[in-house]
Amino acid sequence: MTHSMKLVAGLLLVLVSGLTFLTSGGCSKPSEAATGGISPEKFADGVHAVMMADRTVYARDVVTRLKDQEAPVKPDEYWEKWKEGDTHKMPLPAQMFRMGASLVNDNPDAGFKYSLKSLWPLNPEHKPANEDEIKALKFLSDNPGKTYTDTITDPDGNELFVKYYPDRAVAKACWECHNNHERRDMDAYPEFKKDDVMGAVVVFVPTK
Amino acid sequence: MSVKHQWILWMIVTVCLLAYFTLSLTRQPGGMAQTFLPGVTTHGHYQIEMQCLVCHTPGMGVKQESCMDCHGADLKRSTDTHPRSKFTDPGKMHLLTKLDARHCTTCHQEHVPDRTLAMGLSLPKDYCWHCHQEVGEQRPSHADFAYDSCATAGCHNYHDNRALFENLLVEHHGEPAMLEKQLVEPRNFGDSWQARYSESRKTLAAEENDAPEGLGYDEQISTDWAATAHAAASVNCSGCHTSEELEWTNHPTHESCGACHDSQVAGFLEGRHGMRLAQGLSPMTPSAARLPMYATNGHAELTCSACHTPHKYDTAYAAVDACVKCHADEHSTAYLDSPHYDLWQSELAGEGKPGSGVSCATCHLPRLKNAEKETFVQHNQNDNLRPNEKMVESICHQCHGLQFSLDALADEVLIKNNFQGEPEVHVESLDMAKHWFDERARLREEAKQKREGG
């Protein structure tokens, strides 16, 4: 290689390195490489914003609206199981959310997973599974408007960035249904009202 | 024998054995593959056990997708209570340490007859307890139940709970044993077919058949055909007897039938009658069945024509006579003495209303509705069995109260004698659900009054 060729190669190397640095925002952690240069937290914030927008629209502009109109289509926990008579049922907002989560969680190309958790779940499957989750959910409840982050290792040995977002009562259908549900706890259960934190949306992003 | 000859003999035997076992593994379907069966195959799979590669990888691993290829649609229809997605939910990842139900083989292993329970379950019966041991706190009525008693008739199933959800139980609490209507859905496939093609179709007469000249068939065939729904819907001989290449065939296959009756053929191929055909094997025969069958029909081949006699397509024959000529088990033979059979006879005689008779097909090949609200006959006779509560929603509950239906299906004696008598078993789930709902309503009202008062 001639001297001039070495010089050109050196300049190219500097240029490529500089571009890489600039486009990655100056960060070079392996976790960011896995998410295309976006930090796991930023990525989680983005997908959470989409989730909550869809969920809010469904709860507020579909379910609550149809209920207020006394429409023949009704939200029902067993919407898929009723086969007789009035079968005009639709999923509850939480079910709609979980159905979307199922599709994403089963999609290996999605690159992330998400879930619902609550200290006061109507479905016991969504209660916190360990002390760390209890701590996170209590933090959200005690600090309205705040989020909570953590890192965990799943049973397959994958390292995950975890972010807990407050899940609020955005529409009348939310608190009316939860407050009057037959499975609600009679003693240790809040009377929810608008904007109360009812639980958490938890986003899991693999970091390695 | 000299040492040299012994060596030659050893080499010949070794080569032959190697060739035999290699062929056994590589030939699909191969009769010799049976050599490698590690144990008796379950009742659900033994018919296709020689098609190893349907379930296994060439290295004899198990393909997860093979389970879903055959059972996925059924699980979806049944709104599976424990789908794989429940265990890919990261919020429930702690459950994986108790039961990694992302893989079917965690619970359903094959070729292990010594530890295989009903429905191919190869786990100990206490598997529910590991995740649901706190159920007594949520449902005090369950606190004293045995830890392995969850999946009993009328209570819970792992996958299919479509007839057992608590709101349904409460909704139908207190129903009488016999409901007022007592009629099954009428079939309407012919009507919808006619409506779909009414402009171009007309009823054909016997002499309008388009069988090739010189075929030499019995005249009775065209007479029989002219009396069928096929002729009424303008489906001529060539409609069934012409292959995709437009060549005449004397023996149409299920693929010919499926060109029009796709839902029925799809069900047939999923069930015990057609699952061998679905895998490219020879048709199932009664002699190969594990259930008791009459030897006289042992070698009858289970194609569509086995039950739907060609050219007559008598659905009444297919609904009872075709079944009882092969099935020789206690339940089947007792049917002919049952009140259900009496109702069937009355309907055939014109004394009972259409839809009031109860044939074998009424329960085991039920009439369901497709997405277009057309009624079709589900030809997978296993679709609403195992667990048999699956039958409640689609069949029993059309005539009988929910309590009576669950009690009857939990009574083994009554099942054997084909429901001649009253159930001796009482399933408690309806009473428990009603009590729980009433109690919760009372507590909610109390709490409400307390809030308003203070």
Side-chain angles (χ1 to χ4, degrees):
Chain A
M1 193 181 274
T2 64
H3 181 70
S4 57
M5 283 173 76
K6 281 180 185 171
L7 187 65
V8 171
L11 282 170
L12 276 173
L13 189 65
V14 169
L15 186 64
V16 169
S17 307
L19 279 174
T20 308
F21 180 81
L22 284 173
T23 52
S24 65
C27 299
S28 58
K29 287 185 285 187
S31 55
E32 294 179 10
T35 53
I38 304 171
S39 72
E41 183 159 15
K42 189 74 183 163
F43 177 76
D45 289 347
V47 294
H48 172 256
V50 177
M51 289 170 206
M52 294 321 290
D54 288 348
R55 180 179 173 147
T56 302
V57 169
Y58 184 71
R60 187 188 62 197
D61 298 336
V62 180
V63 177
T64 302
R65 185 162 175 265
L66 289 177
K67 274 188 80 172
D68 287 348
Q69 291 175 338
E70 296 182 357
V73 182
K74 293 182 174 58
D76 191 288
E77 188 173 348
Y78 300 102
W79 65 277
E80 214 176 0
K81 289 189 173 177
W82 289 110
K83 301 289 181 200
E84 56 190 45
D86 176 16
T87 54
H88 298 107
K89 313 283 191 193
M90 62 182 177
L92 301 171
Q95 287 178 307
M96 188 281 281
F97 189 80
R98 280 167 40 214
M99 286 155 67
S102 289
L103 293 175
V104 170
N105 296 341
D106 252 0
N107 179 357
D109 296 327
F112 75 106
K113 296 185 178 188
Y114 62 103
S115 188
L116 266 183
K117 287 278 176 178
S118 176
L119 291 167
W120 315 280
L122 295 177
N123 182 345
E125 286 176 13
H126 302 127
K127 68 181 182 183
N130 52 47
E131 287 303 317
D132 289 342
E133 289 189 358
I134 292 172
K135 186 179 163 191
L137 291 168
K138 278 190 172 160
F139 179 85
L140 296 189
S141 184
D142 296 341
N143 299 276
K146 295 264 179 72
T147 55
Y148 185 92
T149 57
D150 200 358
T151 50
I152 60 165
T153 305
D154 75 12
D156 294 329
N158 303 307
E159 221 171 74
L160 306 171
F161 167 79
V162 188
K163 188 161 182 178
Y164 293 77
Y165 299 87
D167 190 25
R168 293 175 174 281
V170 293
K172 195 166 65 172
C174 308
W175 62 84
E176 276 192 356
C177 178
H178 276 254
N179 288 346
N180 294 304
H181 202 282
E182 59 267 11
R183 284 205 299 273
R184 63 161 279 180
D185 193 298
M186 290 301 163
D187 304 319
Y189 198 93
E191 294 298 324
F192 290 117
K193 56 189 184 305
K194 186 165 173 43
D195 290 332
D196 276 356
V197 176
M198 300 177 76
V201 171
V202 195
V203 179
F204 300 76
V205 184
T207 52
K208 279 184 185 171
Chain B
M1 190 184 287
S2 70
V3 174
K4 184 182 171 186
H5 285 119
Q6 283 178 357
W7 270 107
I8 290 170
L9 183 63
W10 176 82
M11 283 177 73
I12 290 170
V13 169
T14 304
V15 167
C16 288
L17 281 172
L18 271 175
Y20 174 78
F21 286 116
T22 307
L23 275 173
S24 301
L25 275 178
T26 53
R27 280 184 56 183
Q28 290 292 331
M32 289 190 293
Q34 198 146 21
T35 315
F36 290 97
L37 277 178
V40 178
T41 317
T42 56
H43 56 73
H45 291 153
Y46 82 96
Q47 285 191 34
I48 56 167
E49 65 187 2
M50 289 299 98
Q51 290 286 65
C52 308
L53 296 182
V54 170
C55 302
H56 291 284
T57 61
M60 288 301 110
V62 179
K63 295 187 285 189
Q64 165 84 8
E65 66 271 20
S66 63
C67 308
M68 299 310 286
D69 285 347
C70 293
H71 300 284
D74 186 22
L75 289 170
K76 196 172 178 189
R77 275 198 301 274
S78 66
T79 59
D80 187 3
T81 320
H82 290 82
R84 182 177 182 274
S85 59
K86 184 174 287 247
F87 296 88
T88 55
D89 180 345
K92 302 190 188 96
M93 64 176 76
H94 60 287
L95 300 178
L96 296 180
T97 56
K98 299 173 181 174
L99 191 78
D100 189 354
R102 293 174 298 178
H103 311 290
C104 306
T105 48
T106 299
C107 305
H108 302 284
Q109 289 185 16
E110 254 302 353
H111 310 297
V112 285
D114 53 320
R115 55 187 173 89
T116 301
L117 307 171
M119 289 175 283
L121 182 73
S122 50
L123 273 186
K125 281 193 291 185
D126 64 352
Y127 61 95
C128 304
W129 181 85
H130 294 284
C131 294
H132 298 283
Q133 53 193 279
E134 293 170 9
V135 70
E137 293 170 22
Q138 296 147 14
R139 295 283 196 284
S141 57
H142 289 46
D144 296 329
F145 286 167
Y147 63 91
D148 59 353
S149 66
C150 312
T152 53
C155 295
H156 303 279
N157 297 313
Y158 185 83
H159 292 295
D160 191 328
N161 289 289
R162 70 183 113 170
L164 297 169
F165 61 101
E166 57 193 7
N167 291 47
L168 181 86
L169 300 181
V170 172
E171 179 93 4
H172 295 283
H173 182 268
E175 277 179 344
M178 303 301 300
L179 301 179
E180 200 175 325
K181 188 179 162 198
Q182 296 180 40
L183 293 174
V184 296
E185 287 284 333
R187 280 178 292 133
N188 66 1
F189 181 79
D191 294 342
S192 32
W193 179 267
Q194 285 286 26
R196 213 180 298 167
Y197 299 103
S198 57
E199 288 178 13
S200 57
R201 304 271 167 163
K202 68 179 185 72
T203 300
L204 298 171
E207 58 275 15
E208 290 180 277
N209 80 76
D210 66 354
E213 283 181 19
L215 199 63
Y217 63 89
D218 188 339
E219 284 296 316
Q220 185 62 41
I221 288 178
S222 55
T223 309
D224 289 342
W225 162 76
T228 65
H230 279 166
S234 196
V235 178
N236 215 318
C237 307
S238 58
C240 305
H241 283 278
T242 307
S243 68
E244 270 188 31
E245 294 78 31
L246 300 178
E247 287 175 6
W248 179 269
T249 172
N250 282 339
H251 301 288
T253 65
H254 61 275
E255 287 165 353
S256 306
C257 307
C260 298
H261 303 278
D262 52 343
S263 301
Q264 288 84 343
V265 171
F268 166 70
L269 295 175
E270 285 174 3
R272 301 293 171 86
H273 288 164
M275 65 188 290
R276 282 180 60 84
L277 287 172
Q279 300 301 338
L281 296 166
S282 59
M284 178 63 176
T285 60
S287 61
R290 286 184 179 173
L291 291 174
M293 298 284 163
Y294 292 116
T296 44
N297 283 303
H299 299 293
E301 293 196 331
L302 282 162
T303 60
C304 302
S305 300
C307 304
H308 297 282
T309 45
H311 308 111
K312 286 187 177 173
Y313 304 109
D314 180 356
T315 50
Y317 175 84
V320 171
D321 307 64
C323 313
V324 297
K325 76 177 181 185
C326 292
H327 286 269
D329 58 280
E330 213 173 328
H331 174 78
S332 302
T333 53
Y335 168 70
L336 299 175
D337 297 318
S338 73
H340 283 162
Y341 183 65
D342 292 342
L343 289 168
W344 176 245
Q345 293 287 74
S346 294
E347 184 183 338
L348 289 185
E351 294 158 9
K353 287 182 186 170
S356 61
V358 184
S359 66
C360 306
T362 303
C363 302
H364 297 293
L365 292 93
R367 296 171 187 179
L368 307 179
K369 281 207 164 68
N370 63 19
E372 287 79 38
K373 303 290 177 197
E374 291 171 347
T375 306
F376 72 97
V377 173
Q378 169 58 275
H379 278 61
N380 174 3
Q381 72 289 79
N382 208 51
D383 181 63
N384 65 6
L385 284 173
R386 295 181 187 274
N388 64 11
E389 299 96 72
K390 288 159 83 173
M391 198 177 277
V392 168
E393 176 225 347
S394 57
I395 301 303
C396 312
H397 203 209
Q398 295 189 41
C399 302
H400 297 283
L402 188 60
Q403 181 74 62
F404 181 90
S405 304
L406 288 173
D407 291 350
L409 290 172
D411 190 330
E412 290 293 332
V413 176
L414 211 54
I415 291 171
K416 278 186 181 165
N417 74 20
N418 215 305
F419 307 106
Q420 297 179 50
E422 299 291 317
E424 295 288 325
V425 175
H426 179 66
V427 173
E428 293 177 72
S429 53
L430 277 90
D431 296 335
M432 288 164 65
K434 177 75 167 64
H435 176 75
W436 191 78
F437 269 67
D438 288 349
E439 182 64 7
R440 299 299 292 182
R442 188 184 67 76
L443 290 172
R444 276 205 309 279
E445 187 57 33
E446 264 184 26
K448 188 181 166 194
Q449 286 178 4
K450 199 171 160 186
R451 282 197 306 276
E452 288 170 354

